[in-house]
RNA sequence: GCGAGAGUGGCGGAAUUGGUAGACGCACUGGAUUUAGGAUCCAGCGGGGCAUCUCAUGGGGGUUCAAGUCCCCCCUCUCGUACCA
């Protein structure tokens, strides 16, 4: 410690250098110690650290540092999600190569992160665009291929015209591209898919393992996204079979309403439509309807205000149980991509079918008896389950039983089967982009699709290409990359020129951190077994579906391939979704010009102040508004801690800092200070380690500092006084060190300690110090506060009751009343029930 | 519509198992010190009467000796999602 002024920038530099030089944050597997893996979602190297990053990493760092003080062997790594489109856009704009742009951004951002003093084990740093990273991903891809978990198919795909690439379903938000907000188009393409649906059931059921450990809303979002619904497939035989096709199959969750079917509705995109309408006298009108519906804007078609439209095909099918003729209609509300693209029309029990039937004058057949009987003039569908009527042999059954019985009957007649539908679709991982990991397969005229040989991996992304001005990938036209020989027959072949979705890289990076420098394998088994799963994952809620669902799927798939430990079902044991940092109530953005630059704040106040404010302003999961006066307050507090030390330097000497005292703290002031100190130890530790409520931990430490200021004036300089005051100071520094590590290290050293504060454990809690000489008891009459009284700590029930009854205020409020009951909660209150 | 979360001073937020509502901080007001201050210190700070008291945690009921906290009904806001059959 040089002078008496608090000079954060100097102090912070000093400690950051020392930590780095001493390798303070390097960790290794240690079987003798319990492990704790805390991870913040790694950043995309956009070039600048923003406040959202700072908040995210502050939360992670406090947890990491707190868990270390709790005795855990803590893994806390950092890396870069380095493939992706912005690099290509920047390349076009600034005439630099995406790689150069990315690596220089990483360098700049790493330097910025380092000024914040985060306790990362930088020796494990990784960047996903490096071949030594994506080579493993290519291997995983080939293993998936072998296992049938990855396949190629042609299907209508989400196409972003501005990014010139396809998007996975999860990456289409409100019909727009998740990244650039352009309207997404549909395009028929052959693409690579990962069979995430094979894990649909497990992805859904394992959410139960995360209950209480992940935020409810994230669990709910995943549940909705997977969208499992159980029901029955029902085949309706066609009156006039079309070639080999004899039935139209529908999916329903309400087989109990099967007897209420009066029509079938199919999507205009249904494969049978053309044959069904062939020869119909209104064929032209029907075709016009199909064209009109198909051309409707996707967004518009899915909006709830869209009027139900339809047209009869003129074709009929036969009800599988009653044998009735059922007309087949086209409907604009039937989705081709869900279920079978055909639904049975039960206007009595389904609101959409009801509206459709009313509009086109189709019959409504009551099949469930509601309470109070079937209404005369039905105005809406009767969607509640109940007792069946008009349902043949099933009449009289309750809906639930009927669902089962009807499905069994259909199964016996080979007219249907129980099934489950998922909303979840397979994950399209092909991207028509340059800056991504190459997909390691080739196309051979003779052999077809051939996986690249393992010894030829990685398939290197060529770095000597120029990004095309129009944004399209240069890979397909680059013969040195695309033209190759077939790994099987040696003949001429073409390499796959699509690259992998960047969400592939982020689906397994957390595991690579356990053995980031391993060259022979993706993971060192011992390290992976020791560190995984991530104990605490921290990031924004915007990844609730995309990244978190993909990573969960990857984990299960790699587990089943024997690559991950076989008991690793979920990658992230606990999840904290931190809130956003706002400015004047809205998200910081360049266009609004309301960006607060972390670098400027650090320069002005120091990293410790920025860290303190980010954690103090709000609980971590809540949004908070950046406030310029708020950070002033944080800065003021740290100066107060600093001054507390320098103005009382003579009270703090190493002699007094170590060892227990010879006598107990005697004076009331000392006892009070000692009590406050240990109350704070208890509260702050719990808030930091278990509750993750950093704002209240800080508030408690502020209270202790306030108490020390008050006590200081009443203190002399006896050894006893020095000892108690020194202990309190040491406690402030220790408790505060996960939050503002530099300042605390500096003062800790100034107190005469020769070892670093970050090697310390929490101060020992002395329960006896918590005992109070005098407690204040609330006095109530009929639950209303009527006063307080001070009594000796540990007073018994009778004493409290007696004392309360003799209290003047109590007597006034109970005067003329009958005391019915007296409730005494020792240490808290006395409530007198009087009538 | 469905799902999740949230409504507490001028503001951010405390109150962890039902037990003194408003901790801690910001802003504000008055005072001290100062050449001056955006530095520091002291005091005040939910509303009404301003003393005894009283009303207050989105609204209305209920349970309880006691409710921000538990139960029922309703309102508002935020996020997600949606002709999913």
């Amino acid at each position: 410690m040089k002078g008496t002024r608090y000079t954060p920038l100097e102090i912070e530099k000093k400690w950051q250098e020392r930590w780095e030089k001493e390798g303070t944050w390097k960790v290794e597997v240690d079987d003798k110690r319990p492990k704790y893996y805390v991870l913040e979602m790694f950043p995309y190297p956009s070039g600048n650290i923003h406040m959202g990053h700072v908040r995210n990493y502050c939360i992670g760092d406090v947890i990491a540092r707190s868990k270390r003080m709790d005795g855990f062997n803590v893994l806390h790594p950092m890396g870069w999600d380095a493939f992706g489109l912005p690099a290509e856009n920047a390349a076009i704009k600034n005439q630099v190569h995406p790689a150069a742009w990315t690596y220089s951004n990483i360098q700049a951002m790493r330097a910025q992160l380092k000024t914040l003093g985060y306790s990362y084990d930088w020796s494990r740093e990784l960047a996903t665009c490096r071949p030594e990273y994506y080579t493993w991903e290519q291997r995983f891809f080939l293993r998936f291929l072998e296992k049938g978990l990855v396949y190629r198919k042609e299907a209508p795909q989400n196409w972003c015209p501005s990014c010139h690439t396809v998007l996975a379903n999860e990456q289409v938000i409100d019909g727009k591209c998740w990244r650039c907000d352009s309207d997404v188009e549909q395009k028929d393409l052959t693409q690579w898919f990962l069979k995430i649906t094979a894990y649909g059931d497990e992805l859904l059921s394992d959410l139960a393992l995360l209950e209480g450990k992940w935020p409810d809303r994230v669990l709910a979002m995943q549940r909705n996204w997977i969208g499992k619904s159980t029901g029955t497939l029902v085949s309706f035989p066609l009156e006039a079979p079309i070639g080999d096709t004899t039935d139209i199959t529908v999916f329903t969750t309400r087989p109990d309403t099967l007897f209420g079917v009066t029509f079938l509705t199919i999507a205009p995109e249904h494969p049978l439509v053309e044959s069904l309408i062939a020869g119909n006298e209104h064929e032209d009108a029907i075709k016009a309807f199909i064209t009109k519906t198909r051309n409707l804007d996707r967004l518009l078609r899915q909006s709830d205000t869209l009027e139900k439209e339809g047209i009869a095909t003129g074709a009929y099918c036969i009800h599988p149980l009653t044998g009735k003729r059922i007309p087949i209609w086209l409907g604009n509300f039937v989705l081709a991509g869900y279920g079978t693209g055909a639904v049975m029309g039960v206007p009595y029990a389904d609101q959409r079918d009801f509206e459709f039937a009313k509009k086109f004058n189709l019959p409504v057949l009551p099949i469930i008896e509601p309470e109070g009987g079937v209404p005369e003039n039905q105005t809406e569908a009767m969607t509640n389950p109940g007792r069946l009527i008009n349902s043949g042999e099933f009449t009289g059954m309750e809906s639930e039983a009927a669902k089962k019985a009807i499905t069994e009957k259909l199964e016996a007649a080979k007219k249907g089967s129980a099934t489950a539908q998922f909303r979840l679709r397979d994950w399209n991982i092909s991207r028509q982009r340059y800056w991504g990991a190459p997909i390691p397969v080739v196309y051979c005229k003779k052999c077809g699709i051939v996986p690249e040989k393992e010894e030829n991996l990685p398939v290197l992304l060529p770095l000597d290409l120029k990004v095309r001005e129009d944004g399209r990938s240069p890979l397909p036209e680059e013969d040195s990359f695309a033209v190759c020989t077939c790994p099987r027959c040696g003949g001429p072949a073409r390499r796959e020129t699509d690259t992998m979705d960047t969400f592939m890289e982020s689906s397994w990076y957390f595991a690579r951190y356990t053995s980031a420098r391993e060259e022979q394998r993706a993971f060192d088994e011992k390290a992976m077994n020791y560190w995984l799963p991530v104990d605490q994952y921290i990031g924004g809620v915007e990844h609730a579906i995309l990244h978190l669902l993909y990573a969960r799927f990857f984990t299960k798939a790699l587990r089943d391939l024997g690559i991950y430990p076989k008991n690793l079902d979920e990658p992230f044991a606990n999840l904290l979704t931190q809130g956003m940092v706002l400015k004047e109530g809205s998200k910081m953005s360049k266009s609004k010009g309301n960006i607060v630059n972390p670098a400027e704040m650090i320069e002005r106040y120091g990293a410790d102040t920025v860290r303190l404010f980010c954690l103090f302003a709000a609980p971590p999961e809540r949004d908070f508004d950046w406030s310029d006066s708020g950070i002033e307050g944080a800065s003021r507090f740290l100066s107060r801690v600093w001054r507390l030390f320098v103005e009382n330097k003579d009270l703090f000497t190493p002699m007094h800092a170590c060892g227990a005292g010879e006598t107990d703290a005697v004076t009331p002031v000392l006892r009070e200070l000692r009590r406050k100190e240990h109350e704070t130890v208890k509260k702050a530790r719990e808030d930091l380690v278990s509750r993750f409520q950093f704002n209240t931990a800080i508030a408690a430490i502020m209270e202790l500092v306030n108490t020390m200021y008050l006590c200081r004036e009443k203190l002399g300089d006896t050894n006893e006084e020095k000892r108690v005051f020194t202990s309190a100071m040491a406690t402030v520094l220790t408790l505060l060190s996960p939050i503002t590590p530099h300042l605390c290290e500096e003062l800790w050293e100034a107190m005469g300690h020769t070892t670093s504060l970050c090697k310390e454990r929490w101060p020992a809690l002395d329960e006896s110090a918590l005992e109070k000489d005098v407690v204040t008891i609330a006095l109530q009459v009929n639950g209303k506060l009527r006063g307080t009284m001070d009594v000796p700590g540990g007073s018994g029930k009778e004493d409290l009751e007696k004392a309360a009854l003799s209290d003047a205020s109590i007597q006034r409020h109970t005067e003329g009343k009958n005391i019915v009951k007296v409730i005494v909660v020792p240490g808290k209150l006395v409530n007198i029930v009087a009538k």
Side-chain angles (χ1 to χ4, degrees):
Chain A
M1 176 186 241
K2 276 193 204 152
T4 53
R5 280 186 58 89
Y6 174 40
T7 51
L9 295 184
E10 252 169 72
I11 293 169
E12 285 163 8
K13 190 153 172 274
K14 165 181 161 186
W15 288 98
Q16 283 159 16
E17 279 167 4
R18 188 169 303 181
W19 294 329
E20 183 150 354
K21 196 175 111 223
E22 294 176 0
T24 306
W25 314 122
K26 281 215 173 94
V27 278
E28 292 306 331
V29 169
D30 180 353
D31 289 323
K32 290 187 288 296
R33 287 171 66 203
K35 68 95 183 182
Y36 193 86
Y37 184 177
V38 55
L39 181 67
E40 301 101 65
M41 290 180 185
F42 66 166
Y44 178 79
S46 60
N48 275 300
I49 295 291
H50 56 70
M51 269 306 166
H53 291 125
V54 172
R55 187 179 190 200
N56 191 190
Y57 309 147
C58 281
I59 293 166
D61 200 48
V62 175
I63 294 173
R65 287 173 180 267
S66 297
K67 288 286 178 182
R68 279 189 205 103
M69 295 178 78
D70 230 27
F72 287 93
N73 189 25
V74 174
L75 175 57
H76 188 216
M78 178 47 74
W80 310 96
D81 187 13
F83 271 137
L85 202 56
E88 292 181 62
N89 293 339
I92 296 166
K93 206 171 147 195
N94 308 325
Q95 299 295 312
V96 285
H97 192 274
W101 184 82
T102 302
Y103 288 124
S104 92
N105 283 350
I106 287 175
Q107 206 175 2
M109 289 172 77
R110 187 195 301 118
Q112 284 185 54
L113 283 187
K114 287 195 171 180
T115 64
L116 279 147
Y118 297 131
S119 60
Y120 293 126
D121 180 354
W122 283 104
S123 73
R124 293 168 187 264
E125 180 183 5
L126 57 81
T128 58
C129 61
R130 292 189 188 278
E132 54 276 28
Y133 183 84
Y134 67 72
T135 182
W136 304 112
E137 192 165 300
Q138 292 178 340
R139 264 161 233 248
F140 300 155
F141 179 93
L142 294 181
R143 295 289 303 277
F144 288 157
L145 187 63
E146 216 174 273
K147 265 278 213 149
L149 268 179
V150 60
Y151 65 95
R152 246 166 101 75
K153 83 168 174 200
E154 181 178 357
Q157 297 302 324
N158 306 305
W159 177 264
C160 174
S162 131
C163 300
H164 298 289
T165 187
V166 297
L167 299 169
N169 285 353
E170 289 79 8
Q171 294 161 2
V172 181
I173 316 283
D174 288 335
K176 292 175 192 298
C177 172
W178 70 291
R179 191 199 298 281
C180 71
D181 233 26
S182 316
D183 284 334
V184 170
E185 299 166 359
Q186 297 295 298
K187 215 171 169 177
D188 284 324
L189 289 165
T190 305
Q191 301 280 282
W192 287 101
F193 286 85
L194 268 187
K195 216 181 229 172
I196 189 169
T197 54
Y199 286 87
D201 264 315
E202 201 192 334
L203 286 169
L204 183 68
S205 61
D206 279 359
L207 289 173
L209 304 174
L210 305 172
E211 206 78 50
K213 300 172 174 182
W214 282 32
D216 284 344
R217 65 169 168 158
V218 174
L219 295 176
M221 282 161 77
Q222 293 230 343
R223 220 170 271 132
N224 289 341
W225 188 264
I226 297 166
K228 182 181 180 177
S229 60
T230 51
T232 306
L233 289 172
V234 187
S235 296
F236 286 74
L238 287 164
E239 202 173 47
I242 301 162
D244 294 344
T245 310
T246 55
D247 304 280
I248 286 191
T249 304
V250 302
F251 172 72
T252 179
T253 55
R254 293 293 305 273
D256 55 316
T257 66
L258 185 57
F259 284 77
V261 173
T262 56
F263 56 95
L264 238 57
T265 323
I266 65 176
E269 294 87 348
H270 196 282
L272 290 180
V273 166
E274 219 168 300
S275 314
L276 286 173
I277 62 169
N280 186 304
E281 53 176 319
H282 305 298
E283 198 176 331
D284 289 345
I286 300 171
K287 281 194 171 155
F289 170 76
I290 295 172
T291 315
K292 187 180 140 204
T293 310
R294 291 197 68 151
N295 285 351
L296 253 189
D297 186 82
R298 219 172 100 104
L299 267 186
L300 210 72
R301 182 152 167 208
Q302 291 194 352
S303 83
D304 49 1
T305 51
L306 184 71
E307 174 81 13
K308 289 195 178 26
E309 301 278 4
I311 192 161
T313 60
Y316 284 81
C317 59
I318 306 297
H319 192 290
L321 295 185
T322 66
K324 277 190 199 163
R325 279 182 96 214
I326 306 285
I328 304 171
W329 284 66
L330 297 180
N332 64 347
F333 65 94
V334 183
L335 305 174
Y338 186 77
T340 60
V343 294
M344 60 186 208
V346 185
Y348 179 76
D350 183 281
Q351 186 59 28
R352 290 158 304 189
D353 296 344
F354 182 80
E355 287 169 29
F356 197 76
K358 285 286 154 205
K359 179 156 179 177
F360 297 106
N361 233 350
L362 294 159
V364 179
L365 209 69
I367 29 77
I368 286 173
E369 174 113 64
E371 270 179 57
V374 177
E376 285 287 308
N377 286 311
Q378 195 181 341
T379 54
E380 57 177 5
M382 301 287 154
T383 53
N384 290 335
R387 192 175 294 274
L388 269 62
I389 52 173
N390 301 327
S391 297
E393 61 189 282
F394 305 98
T395 299
M397 279 184 148
E398 289 295 330
S399 286
E400 274 317 302
K403 279 184 187 173
K404 219 176 145 226
I406 291 177
T407 302
E408 278 166 10
K409 169 106 181 173
L410 289 166
E411 278 171 345
K414 302 225 179 317
K415 293 273 172 59
S417 56
T419 187
Q421 284 293 330
F422 287 87
R423 211 186 84 109
L424 183 68
R425 294 280 100 108
D426 279 338
W427 173 16
N428 178 347
I429 55 152
S430 300
R431 293 294 177 274
Q432 293 68 50
R433 302 300 323 175
Y434 167 49
W435 191 232
I439 296 174
V441 296
V442 304
Y443 301 99
C444 169
K445 277 215 174 99
K446 215 154 81 197
C447 312
I449 296 168
V450 183
E452 186 53 90
K453 282 188 192 152
E454 273 219 20
E455 61 262 34
N456 291 342
L457 297 185
V459 175
L460 285 172
L461 181 71
L463 295 182
D464 52 0
L465 303 189
K466 229 183 137 209
V467 175
R468 290 173 48 126
E469 280 296 315
D470 63 4
R472 282 195 189 80
S473 168
L475 292 175
E477 282 146 53
E478 181 57 33
D479 287 351
S480 65
F481 177 76
V483 175
C484 62
T485 54
C486 171
R488 194 169 292 160
C489 70
R494 245 187 102 73
R495 200 173 281 292
E496 169 66 82
T497 52
D498 282 356
T499 53
M500 292 193 249
D501 184 2
T502 57
F503 279 97
M504 292 278 281
E505 284 88 65
S506 53
S507 291
W508 63 282
Y509 76 108
F510 54 90
R512 179 65 183 172
Y513 281 135
T514 66
S515 34
R517 298 281 91 84
E518 176 64 55
E519 287 176 13
Q520 302 308 312
R521 302 160 273 257
F523 313 110
D524 173 82
E525 212 154 293
K526 193 169 170 232
M528 180 170 66
N529 285 330
Y530 178 76
W531 291 116
L532 290 185
V534 174
D535 293 282
Q536 184 65 56
Y537 199 34
I538 307 152
V541 74
E542 66 274 16
H543 294 108
I545 296 171
L546 289 158
H547 162 58
L548 290 170
L549 188 66
Y550 294 144
R552 291 184 62 224
F553 157 63
F554 239 75
T555 301
K556 293 170 190 301
L558 290 181
R559 172 203 63 191
D560 290 348
L561 284 170
I563 294 170
Y564 277 174
K566 60 174 179 298
N567 60 351
L568 187 75
D569 296 323
E570 289 290 336
F572 313 119
N574 294 282
L575 174 70
L576 193 158
T577 48
Q578 107 260 4
M580 286 190 298
V581 183
L582 309 174
K583 185 74 199 284
E584 278 124 32
S586 54
K587 209 174 162 176
M588 291 184 191
S589 71
K590 267 186 208 151
S591 57
K592 287 197 193 95
N594 60 348
I595 291 184
V596 178
N597 181 357
E600 264 172 47
M601 289 296 140
I602 295 165
E603 180 118 352
R604 188 140 145 217
Y605 297 103
D608 279 337
T609 293
V610 173
R611 294 173 58 120
L612 179 71
F613 179 62
C614 279
L615 294 161
F616 183 59
E621 62 283 350
R622 219 179 290 193
D623 289 350
F624 85 82
D625 215 69
W626 184 270
S627 133
D628 292 334
S629 51
I631 193 168
E632 292 280 348
S635 169
R636 209 173 299 157
F637 171 68
L638 292 187
S639 305
R640 235 166 107 73
V641 173
W642 183 267
R643 269 185 289 116
L644 181 63
F645 180 84
V646 296
E647 286 170 11
N648 299 282
K649 223 169 171 177
D650 48 332
L651 281 177
F652 308 119
T653 61
M655 180 189 92
H656 303 288
C658 47
E662 308 76 45
T663 55
D664 276 338
V666 274
T667 68
V669 175
L670 288 181
R671 283 186 68 93
E672 177 64 21
L673 177 55
R674 217 171 114 68
R675 192 167 58 76
K676 189 74 189 172
E677 178 191 346
H678 286 271
E679 275 175 2
T680 311
V681 169
K682 193 171 179 208
K683 164 88 178 147
R685 178 179 173 175
E686 200 184 308
D687 282 353
L688 292 175
V689 170
S690 313
R691 295 211 314 147
F692 296 160
Q693 297 291 294
F694 315 112
N695 55 331
T696 51
I698 294 164
I701 299 166
M702 284 173 167
E703 282 188 63
L704 176 55
V705 170
N706 290 346
T707 304
M708 288 177 72
Y709 266 100
L710 284 176
C711 289
R712 178 189 61 166
E713 288 166 13
K714 302 172 194 159
L715 284 182
D717 57 359
T718 66
N719 274 358
E720 201 55 39
E721 285 162 331
K722 281 184 179 176
R723 195 172 64 79
V724 173
F725 209 63
T726 300
S727 170
M729 191 72 217
T731 291
V732 166
L733 297 179
T734 316
L735 296 180
L736 204 53
S737 67
I739 300 158
T740 60
H742 313 87
L743 168 96
C744 294
E745 286 273 23
E746 182 70 14
L747 293 181
W748 184 255
E749 185 186 57
M751 280 180 83
H753 294 94
T754 49
T755 52
S756 172
L757 178 52
C758 57
K759 302 282 184 203
E760 291 293 313
R761 297 292 175 88
W762 299 113
L765 177 63
D766 180 354
E767 294 280 350
S768 70
L770 298 176
E771 283 162 21
K772 292 183 177 178
D773 301 336
V774 174
V775 279
T776 304
I777 299 285
L779 298 175
Q780 301 179 331
V781 175
N782 296 333
K784 280 201 167 155
L785 185 70
R786 293 303 176 192
T788 59
M789 63 178 183
D790 290 341
V791 298
S795 297
K797 279 196 169 191
E798 281 115 66
D799 293 340
L800 287 173
E801 181 171 342
K802 215 190 280 172
L805 289 172
S806 61
D807 180 87
S809 170
I810 289 297
Q811 286 182 349
R812 200 167 51 240
H813 285 94
T814 53
E815 207 170 16
K817 286 181 182 165
N818 226 358
I819 294 175
V820 184
K821 206 176 359 174
V822 180
I823 292 177
V824 183
V825 184
K828 283 255 155 91
L829 59 79
V830 178
N831 185 18
I832 293 159
V833 188
K835 282 183 179 165

